[in-house]
Amino acid sequence: MGSRYLEIFCREAEEHLASLQSGLLVLERNPERSSLLHELLRNAHTLKGSARMVGLSDISAITHTMEEQLKGMERGERQVDADAIDLLLKGADAVALITSALLRGEVPELDVERFVAEYDRGELTRPAAADTREAAAEQQSETVRANVKTLDHLVNLIGEMIINKKRLEAKLLTLKEIAASLPTDQAQALTLFRRDLEEDVLYQDYLIQELHEKAMALRMLPLRSISDGFERLVRDLAQQLGKEVRLQIAGHGIEMDRVLLEGLKPMLIHLLTNAVCHGIEPPHERTAAGKPREGVVSLSARHEGRSVIVEVADDGKGMDPARIRAAALAKGVIDPREAEAMGDEEALYLTFRPGFSTAEIVTDISGRGVGMDVVKRNIERVKGNITLTSEKGSFSRVTLQLPLTLSVIEALLIRCGGEDFAVPLNYVQEILKVRPDEITVLGANEVIKVRGVTTPLYSLAAMLELPRQMKSSATLAVIVLKLADQRMACLVDAHLGSSEVVVKGLGKQFRSVRFLFGATIMGDGNPALILNVPDLFSAAANDGRRATRSGAELDEERRFKVLVVDDSITTRTMEQSILLTQGYDVVTAVSGEDALQKCADEEFDLIISDVEMPGINGFELTRNLRESERYREIPIIIVSSLSRDEDKRQALQSGAQAYIVKGAFDQGMLLETVQMLIG
């Protein structure tokens, strides 16, 4: 969770806690004031929903228990007496304890599971947390907190040192050439000086490598830092679906750059949920198939060269290529001719195509099984790769290949159109020399055989709109690129070998530029652009039709206007930020009435609304909008902490297209739903 969202949440929590504490004291003196009771219930409910949005499960667990107690009071099932008020005040104290610790960057000293269990039994007799300030002070003396931006800046500076070291190495080569061109008697002193300088550069190289490793270690975190809640996720989901599922985790100590881990967590949640929902069969089906009643979902991580391999597998029913083809055909993802020509292995990857879905409505469960293209896009965003393996009736496995870090990568250096480029090595299958007579024409495309497989051939210079270099040599330089199940061959001017390169960002002004994701500095001081391989595959799939369009044109296409309606500032800010970063134009409303007014003044392409708000709630807002001509067909997403099936049915009946539970919320889920509904 970003520090920005934490600060916003804590400010909001402070307001709700103040309202709860003062309101509870008033309620104790005036137990008949039902309007005050309802206001306190809304405070607890909003606090629970906001905590779920930012992933603070401890706070959401405590406020959920408080909410249930207040609901019991509102229904007349619980007494509004001193003991009940005391219990609620202790709940508010516990939330305040956690938020205070989080703002100090400390781990809250509270056994939340025990606290909630005792709270539910009404047995809270001890303080919420023990006073352990001395132990904390002693521990702090051995550690220093560092700002993440400071660490990033440190890694960036070490990257500059690596680049400078490469320049020194290039100058050494020049010095060697100068010495070789001089008479022997004049070159001797220069040669000795060059050898001494070489030793100095080698030692500097060793020091820089050590420094880089230590600096990266500060940014590295183990897989367990994001996987701790996965076992509970799988258990709860299995119970909800009436299945018996056990999660096995191997390699939870494998470390990765925190930036990659942050992007990996929503993908793993998505894949684990898919495995439980769509992979593992109900117990009676497993027994009938001769399997144990309990299914196994496994998450494993391991190092492989300069990459980390993360796998999510299950021993369920596997993926049925025929069913996938039929679903893709029914949804219009592929046409009958394409379906007929498609092999079983290729059919598995249809699940990555935008629009592939078998669900009628997106919910907190089924929604995570919709649009695996979001996982694929997120993998591509961190310069990783993804492969699928499955056997019908036996197992499914999703393998993610990720770099250890995004700051320094292994790359193949190539020359194309007279310019130097770097291609991330994990996308490179092989490099070839091809004779012109080995190139054949298939339909409208040129192809070559790569290990017996017909592979489309493209001119990289043409794709990048660079001048093509005319070569008279007998062979042509080709690189074969891989992305998931796809392969493509690209003609280049020359292969320049592989190298470890420092990735430099291009800046926000170049964020929409296709085919590039960064740059690096070569030993001679000249820059080389780093190619974004997924963009090349996208351009090839569209026959290059979109490759020549400007970033501004593409950006204009996706500037859909979205209205976010929620009385919680934390939720509004999070949803607004998530959508803004993806290029959506976002307007916010603080209530149902405010939303209706904004809808009357402006036109929106999509509306995202909370349910429980003061005044008009989300269901009533949806019904109101459906009665107007302008908003009869506009997609509406309900995002709420209400998780009962009855609430989801009510959302459907009022006219919403999707329902996302805040407790299951992640930004990939929201974006996936938005993209599925409006693009």
Side-chain angles (χ1 to χ4, degrees):
M1 174 181 53
S3 58
R4 177 190 173 206
Y5 294 137
L6 177 60
E7 288 169 13
I8 292 171
F9 169 78
C10 288
R11 281 201 302 272
E12 182 184 11
E14 192 177 344
E15 292 174 12
H16 286 298
L17 288 170
S19 297
L20 277 166
Q21 301 216 41
S22 60
L24 285 168
L25 296 174
V26 174
L27 185 66
E28 187 174 21
R29 295 190 299 271
N30 305 276
E32 73 288 343
R33 286 182 58 177
S34 57
S35 60
L36 176 58
L37 186 57
H38 186 75
E39 185 63 27
L40 293 171
L41 179 58
R42 196 176 69 78
N43 284 135
H45 177 80
T46 303
L47 199 49
K48 178 185 77 173
S50 298
R52 284 182 169 181
M53 285 293 289
V54 293
L56 297 176
S57 56
D58 286 352
I59 291 179
S60 68
I62 295 168
T63 48
H64 173 72
T65 308
M66 294 172 67
E67 184 186 22
E68 289 302 305
Q69 184 186 353
L70 287 163
K71 281 181 180 176
M73 290 176 173
E74 193 175 46
R75 291 193 296 263
E77 297 166 2
R78 292 194 183 194
Q79 287 286 100
V80 183
D81 55 22
D83 288 342
I85 297 296
D86 189 50
L87 201 58
L88 286 162
L89 287 170
K90 284 177 179 174
D93 288 343
V95 174
L97 178 86
I98 295 171
T99 54
S100 175
L102 289 172
L103 281 175
R104 293 195 306 270
E106 298 170 2
V107 177
E109 295 170 8
L110 178 67
D111 185 338
V112 173
E113 196 169 332
R114 183 175 173 182
F115 180 89
V116 170
E118 291 181 355
Y119 191 105
D120 286 339
R121 295 195 299 270
E123 296 176 358
L124 281 181
T125 56
R126 56 184 176 78
D131 186 0
T132 55
R133 289 192 188 93
E134 287 183 16
E138 187 179 335
Q139 190 177 14
Q140 278 187 338
S141 67
E142 298 176 6
T143 60
V144 177
R145 289 206 303 272
N147 189 294
V148 169
K149 285 184 179 177
T150 305
L151 290 180
D152 290 344
H153 188 55
L154 175 64
V155 171
N156 190 48
L157 286 172
I158 295 169
E160 295 290 345
M161 290 173 67
I162 294 172
I163 290 167
N164 199 56
K165 184 258 305 182
K166 286 179 177 287
R167 290 161 120 165
L168 282 175
E169 288 172 342
K171 285 180 171 62
L172 274 174
L173 288 173
T174 305
L175 193 60
K176 186 177 182 179
E177 290 168 3
I178 292 170
S181 66
L182 293 173
T184 306
D185 57 333
Q186 294 180 13
Q188 192 171 4
L190 191 60
T191 301
L192 289 172
F193 171 73
R194 178 182 61 79
R195 285 174 183 167
D196 285 344
L197 190 58
E198 270 183 347
E199 287 181 11
D200 291 343
V201 172
L202 277 171
Y203 184 59
Q204 186 197 35
D205 184 26
Y206 164 74
L207 290 175
I208 289 173
Q209 283 186 31
E210 283 281 298
L211 187 58
H212 184 253
E213 285 176 16
K214 298 296 183 189
M216 286 309 304
L218 294 173
R219 291 207 330 185
M220 302 295 266
L221 291 171
L223 182 65
R224 72 167 62 89
S225 65
I226 63 167
S227 67
D228 283 347
F230 289 170
E231 195 170 345
R232 177 72 183 271
L233 168 81
V234 168
R235 175 188 171 275
D236 291 352
L237 194 52
Q239 284 188 342
Q240 197 174 344
L241 296 168
K243 297 180 179 181
E244 295 178 19
V245 187
R246 175 166 46 93
L247 176 65
Q248 292 180 338
I249 300 180
H252 54 262
I254 295 293
E255 293 191 330
M256 296 173 65
D257 193 322
R258 61 162 188 86
V259 177
L260 287 164
L261 276 176
E262 285 171 7
L264 184 60
K265 184 174 182 178
M267 288 186 269
L268 291 181
I269 290 174
H270 201 124
L271 293 173
L272 290 170
T273 308
N274 257 3
V276 176
C277 292
H278 305 298
I280 302 295
E281 313 93 327
H284 68 275
E285 285 184 23
R286 291 181 63 86
T287 304
K291 294 181 175 182
R293 285 176 60 86
E294 184 182 62
V296 177
V297 174
S298 64
L299 167 63
S300 64
R302 67 180 188 274
H303 285 125
E304 197 171 278
R306 295 283 298 172
S307 299
V308 174
I309 305 298
V310 179
E311 290 185 343
V312 175
D314 66 78
D315 66 348
K317 60 189 175 185
M319 300 170 73
D320 184 348
R323 184 171 176 270
I324 291 171
R325 263 193 299 264
L329 197 56
K331 293 282 181 182
V333 174
I334 55 173
D335 56 39
R337 180 183 54 80
E338 196 177 355
E340 191 177 337
M342 188 170 287
D344 284 352
E345 187 179 348
E346 195 180 354
L348 300 182
Y349 289 87
L350 285 171
T351 54
F352 290 145
R353 300 274 190 102
F356 179 86
S357 161
T358 55
E360 293 303 319
I361 179 174
V362 183
T363 68
D364 55 317
I365 296 177
S366 66
R368 293 188 185 275
V370 175
M372 280 285 287
D373 59 310
V374 173
V375 174
K376 181 170 175 282
R377 281 200 302 274
N378 285 337
I379 283 290
E380 291 168 0
R381 196 171 291 131
V382 296
K383 314 310 158 206
N385 219 327
I386 184 167
T387 54
L388 293 177
T389 317
S390 183
E391 185 179 307
K392 187 181 172 184
S394 183
F395 75 93
S396 293
R397 184 184 302 115
V398 182
T399 304
L400 312 177
Q401 182 189 14
L402 302 154
L404 280 171
T405 173
L406 291 178
S407 60
V408 177
I409 63 169
E410 286 287 329
L412 174 68
L413 302 174
I414 59 169
R415 183 157 292 142
C416 179
E419 301 285 344
D420 289 347
F421 294 95
V423 183
L425 210 54
N426 62 310
Y427 289 122
V428 179
Q429 179 174 298
E430 55 191 300
I431 58 177
L432 302 171
K433 290 287 187 180
V434 175
R435 296 191 311 274
D437 61 6
E438 292 177 307
I439 302 171
T440 57
V441 177
L442 183 64
N445 298 318
E446 290 185 321
V447 297
I448 59 172
K449 288 281 187 182
V450 180
R451 301 184 184 277
V453 178
T454 300
T455 306
L457 178 68
Y458 298 89
S459 164
L460 185 58
M463 294 178 85
L464 301 178
E465 297 186 71
L466 296 170
R468 299 181 69 168
Q469 304 293 302
M470 302 304 293
K471 293 185 68 176
S472 57
S473 61
T475 58
L476 303 169
V478 170
I479 57 172
V480 181
L481 304 176
K482 59 182 179 180
L483 179 67
D485 63 322
Q486 304 170 73
R487 300 291 183 273
M488 67 184 289
C490 292
L491 280 169
V492 298
D493 298 347
H495 310 125
L496 305 177
S498 62
S499 174
E500 193 177 65
V501 300
V502 178
V503 179
K504 311 291 288 180
L506 294 175
K508 290 182 180 178
Q509 63 270 40
F510 294 107
R511 191 165 53 191
S512 297
V513 176
R514 295 192 85 204
F515 305 119
L516 306 174
F517 84 86
T520 190
I521 308 296
M522 309 293 282
D524 59 5
N526 290 318
L529 295 168
I530 305 172
L531 293 178
N532 190 16
V533 173
D535 278 357
L536 296 176
F537 277 92
S538 175
N542 290 288
D543 297 321
R545 286 190 297 273
R546 290 168 62 87
T548 59
R549 298 170 68 183
S550 70
E553 288 177 310
L554 293 172
D555 193 53
E556 188 60 35
E557 277 186 11
R558 64 174 183 267
R559 297 276 309 166
F560 290 109
K561 200 167 191 177
V562 179
L563 176 66
V564 171
V565 191
D566 204 299
D567 60 324
S568 161
I569 185 174
T570 305
T571 303
R572 283 199 312 274
T573 305
M574 274 196 74
E575 291 176 351
Q576 183 181 33
S577 298
I578 290 164
L579 294 164
L580 283 173
T581 57
Q582 296 300 308
Y584 295 101
D585 187 2
V586 185
V587 175
T588 61
V590 298
S591 65
E593 290 84 353
D594 186 21
L596 286 174
Q597 184 59 54
K598 285 186 165 69
C599 285
D601 297 338
E602 304 176 62
E603 288 193 23
F604 297 98
D605 299 291
L606 181 136
I607 294 160
I608 300 171
S609 176
D610 186 21
V611 174
E612 297 201 333
M613 299 179 287
I616 297 174
N617 69 28
F619 299 145
E620 292 165 339
L621 170 63
T622 304
R623 282 193 289 271
N624 267 309
L625 291 171
R626 290 296 180 234
E627 289 171 4
S628 72
E629 186 68 35
R630 182 189 289 181
Y631 287 98
R632 191 159 293 157
E633 303 296 330
I634 296 299
I636 298 176
I637 301 172
I638 297 290
V639 178
S640 172
S641 57
L642 300 173
S643 58
R644 298 176 307 162
D645 288 341
E646 175 56 37
D647 299 316
K648 296 171 191 173
R649 275 194 294 273
Q650 198 172 343
L652 276 173
Q653 289 163 1
S654 64
Q657 273 80 14
Y659 193 102
I660 301 174
V661 177
K662 285 181 182 176
F665 179 88
D666 66 68
Q667 70 174 43
M669 175 70 170
L670 179 66
L671 289 174
E672 173 186 325
T673 309
V674 171
Q675 288 164 358
M676 190 176 70
L677 293 173
I678 63 172

